[in-house]
Amino acid sequence: MSTCKNHKISIDEALKKAEIICNKKGVKLTKLRQKVLTLILKNHGYVKAYDLLNDLKKNDASAKPPTVYRSLDFLMEHGFIHKIQSLNAFVGCSHPDEHEDCYFLICKECKNIEECCSNTVKKVLTSTSGKNNFSPNQVTLEITGICQDCS
Amino acid sequence: MSTCKNHKISIDEALKKAEIICNKKGVKLTKLRQKVLTLILKNHGYVKAYDLLNDLKKNDASAKPPTVYRSLDFLMEHGFIHKIQSLNAFVGCSHPDEHEDCYFLICKECKNIEECCSNTVKKVLTSTSGKNNFSPNQVTLEITGICQDCS
DNA sequence: AACTATTATGTTATATTATAACATTCATTT
DNA sequence: AAATGAATGTTATAATATAACATAATAGTT
């Protein structure tokens, strides 16, 4: 069982968690989707779609862009991964079951991405949106900088 | 002089402002850059790079991707426009001289984008980053939802 | 004015990211 | 087994962006 200081939980645990959530929802975590999720979780930083595709090709030469994008779509839809908009990249989610608005601390040194949840941030964003009479739907909050280990 | 309720200032004013800032900085707002900035400001919502390219081609058939991307880079570098990461699109900036961390309210109905500055938001983000021992460098905050006019 | 250095633009080519559209396979239910 | 719907395979292409090198314009120097 592989673990990593950057994973709140191990890959195996994350996969099991995903399996359980899928069962609850009545959707299927197919072999392919598992494979893609595993490849993403294995990385401590972020992963690019075409790097994933190349990884998939090692086992299955017939893998093509839709192969990976469809899995990515599924995994995003169910909160198992997130897309980092400012990088066109993807990261695993450490807590797909308890999902709130999250934000990302992206270290430009080590490329590591920390996913954070903060009620304070959430509240401030909601209230500021409210002041603008805006009904928020989806928040993209990505903070690039230098992490503790790299400073 | 064209104005728009969504522009805090008119296009002409924005151009003049940009001109002044460029002079101060010792950089040049060339005809091409002016043209690109104008095309962006004319839009009330966001603009895609290749739409800009097509607009440019109307006057100059030889325009090519680097033509527009270089201008976009320049305009972003000096704060005259912003890139909306979640849309791969660009919006004009209404206050390039008094620049702080801004965020964007993106209406998925009317496609309008409101640029906002909030000290509260800024403070919360800085302090939350600090709690994670993270030195923020650049913040991407994009909130998608429904604006007042569309709700 | 001629020379030089720098900046900006032109040009060709290609890299990167992502989706549309249709065919086939697989799993589940009947 | 047949029918259905979901998932995957496959082909093609769309959309976004940059590398690399050539030329032109500009500003500063002689």
Side-chain angles (χ1 to χ4, degrees):
Chain A
M1 189 168 90
S2 54
T3 53
C4 165
K5 88 173 164 98
N6 294 315
H7 295 136
K8 302 283 186 299
I9 58 173
S10 71
I11 294 175
D12 283 4
E13 278 181 283
L15 282 173
K16 273 178 203 152
K17 220 174 182 178
E19 190 70 55
I20 292 166
I21 293 170
C22 282
N23 286 340
K24 256 187 215 161
K25 291 187 180 178
V27 296
K28 273 171 286 185
L29 193 64
T30 61
K31 284 286 166 207
L32 176 62
R33 289 165 177 169
Q34 269 179 49
K35 178 75 188 164
V36 172
L37 179 54
T38 303
L39 287 172
I40 294 172
L41 291 170
K42 265 187 184 161
N43 267 277
H44 304 157
Y46 53 83
V47 186
K48 310 282 284 184
Y50 275 72
D51 291 341
L52 279 174
L53 179 54
N54 286 332
D55 286 343
L56 288 177
K57 278 181 175 164
K58 287 172 192 166
N59 291 321
D60 175 5
S62 79
K64 291 181 185 58
T67 314
V68 68
Y69 279 105
R70 281 172 185 153
S71 289
L72 289 172
D73 286 346
F74 175 89
L75 295 172
M76 279 192 284
E77 185 185 345
H78 298 290
F80 304 132
I81 64 171
H82 298 290
K83 178 168 186 181
I84 305 298
Q85 301 288 354
S86 55
L87 294 170
N88 292 324
F90 303 86
V91 286
C93 177
S94 49
H95 54 295
D97 39 3
E98 43 191 290
H99 237 286
E100 303 181 52
D101 292 80
C102 297
Y103 62 98
F104 301 93
L105 301 178
I106 305 166
C107 179
K108 53 183 175 178
E109 198 64 31
C110 66
K111 314 294 183 196
N112 203 53
I113 296 185
E114 179 96 19
E115 181 179 352
C116 306
C117 291
S118 159
N119 266 323
T120 319
V121 171
K122 195 187 171 178
K123 271 181 205 156
V124 169
L125 294 184
T126 308
S127 96
T128 330
S129 294
K131 274 176 203 151
N132 286 281
N133 295 301
F134 191 89
S135 308
N137 211 238
Q138 203 213 325
V139 172
T140 298
L141 176 47
E142 299 169 2
I143 306 179
T144 300
I146 306 286
C147 75
Q148 182 170 27
D149 293 355
C150 292
S151 65
Chain B
M1 190 166 90
S2 54
T3 53
C4 164
K5 90 174 163 95
N6 294 315
H7 295 135
K8 303 284 186 300
I9 58 175
S10 72
I11 294 175
D12 283 4
E13 278 181 283
L15 282 173
K16 273 178 201 153
K17 220 174 182 177
E19 190 70 56
I20 292 167
I21 292 170
C22 283
N23 287 340
K24 259 188 211 160
K25 291 187 178 177
V27 297
K28 273 171 288 185
L29 193 66
T30 61
K31 285 285 166 206
L32 176 62
R33 290 164 178 170
Q34 269 179 49
K35 179 74 187 166
V36 172
L37 180 54
T38 304
L39 288 171
I40 294 172
L41 291 170
K42 264 186 185 161
N43 267 278
H44 303 158
Y46 53 82
V47 186
K48 310 282 284 181
Y50 276 72
D51 291 340
L52 280 174
L53 179 54
N54 286 332
D55 286 344
L56 288 178
K57 278 180 175 163
K58 287 173 189 163
N59 292 319
D60 175 4
S62 77
K64 291 182 184 58
T67 313
V68 68
Y69 279 105
R70 282 170 184 154
S71 289
L72 289 172
D73 285 346
F74 175 90
L75 296 170
M76 279 193 283
E77 184 185 345
H78 298 289
F80 303 132
I81 63 171
H82 298 290
K83 179 169 186 179
I84 305 298
Q85 301 288 354
S86 55
L87 294 170
N88 292 324
F90 303 86
V91 286
C93 176
S94 50
H95 54 296
D97 39 3
E98 43 191 288
H99 238 286
E100 303 181 53
D101 293 78
C102 296
Y103 62 98
F104 302 93
L105 301 179
I106 305 166
C107 179
K108 54 184 175 178
E109 199 63 31
C110 66
K111 313 295 182 194
N112 203 52
I113 296 186
E114 179 95 19
E115 180 178 354
C116 305
C117 292
S118 159
N119 267 323
T120 319
V121 171
K122 194 186 172 179
K123 272 181 203 157
V124 169
L125 294 184
T126 306
S127 95
T128 331
S129 294
K131 275 177 204 151
N132 287 282
N133 295 301
F134 191 89
S135 308
N137 210 239
Q138 203 213 323
V139 172
T140 298
L141 176 47
E142 299 169 4
I143 306 177
T144 300
I146 305 285
C147 76
Q148 182 171 26
D149 293 354
C150 292
S151 66

